[in-house]
Amino acid sequence: MSDIIKIAVPELGLRKPREVVAKNKTVRRVWALQLQEVKLAQIQDEAMTSDEDAIKAYESVIKMLDDNEEFLVEVLKLTDKQKDALEELSQSEFARLNARVQMAIIHSEDSLAVSDEQAEPDTDPKLSDANA
């Protein structure tokens, strides 16, 4: 029996949580995307001494973005309208969504399956201002 994760993504119009089965192939794909990100960070940390190095770095960034977008589209079974909404997210919104979905799948933290909008804040901002 496979683990089923419910993921709500209201920023893409998914008000009702989607059920994602954490099959071995999906988990493996998450780890492959994580590895790709580590390799990209390594490339970016190296001194770029030529235009060829810069081109390699930019191509790696584009491939990583495309692969992560494709992953989200397939795992969440997004419609064309939802794919368009995914394209319109800011880079930080996309990164948060991508991380939330990937971490939920590999069970790094179950609470990550809940959308950012549904999450309760850690502290009350009114209390923070009063203590400042």
Side-chain angles (χ1 to χ4, degrees):
M1 184 172 195
S2 298
D3 294 329
I4 297 177
I5 299 120
K6 292 186 178 189
I7 302 174
V9 192
E11 57 266 52
L12 300 181
L14 294 171
R15 300 285 177 217
K16 182 180 175 187
R18 291 279 169 98
E19 289 188 352
V20 176
V21 180
K23 296 178 183 177
N24 193 42
K25 69 179 183 177
T26 306
V27 172
R28 183 182 300 112
R29 192 164 174 198
V30 169
W31 286 113
L33 290 169
Q34 295 290 315
L35 178 60
Q36 184 180 20
E37 191 169 326
V38 170
K39 287 180 178 181
L40 176 60
Q42 192 174 32
I43 289 170
Q44 291 176 329
D45 285 345
E46 295 173 0
M48 289 189 219
T49 56
S50 69
D51 288 344
E52 191 174 304
D53 291 339
I55 290 169
K56 180 181 176 184
Y58 288 128
E59 288 174 341
S60 296
V61 169
I62 292 168
K63 181 174 180 355
M64 184 189 70
L65 290 171
D66 289 345
D67 289 350
N68 280 285
E69 185 175 321
E70 180 184 321
F71 170 77
L72 290 174
V73 168
E74 290 176 12
V75 167
L76 297 174
K77 297 176 178 62
L78 300 180
T79 64
D80 287 341
K81 185 177 179 181
Q82 293 159 344
K83 289 178 202 176
D84 291 342
L86 184 64
E87 286 280 334
E88 294 301 319
L89 294 178
S90 71
Q91 185 175 0
S92 60
E93 291 169 327
F94 179 83
R96 282 193 306 272
L97 168 61
N98 190 38
R100 191 171 72 233
V101 171
Q102 288 187 23
M103 294 302 109
I105 289 171
I106 59 173
H107 303 285
S108 290
E109 192 172 321
D110 292 337
S111 65
L112 292 173
V114 176
S115 75
D116 292 339
E117 293 176 355
Q118 294 171 328
E120 297 202 5
D122 294 337
T123 60
D124 184 348
K126 293 177 188 172
L127 296 175
S128 297
D129 293 338
N131 294 329

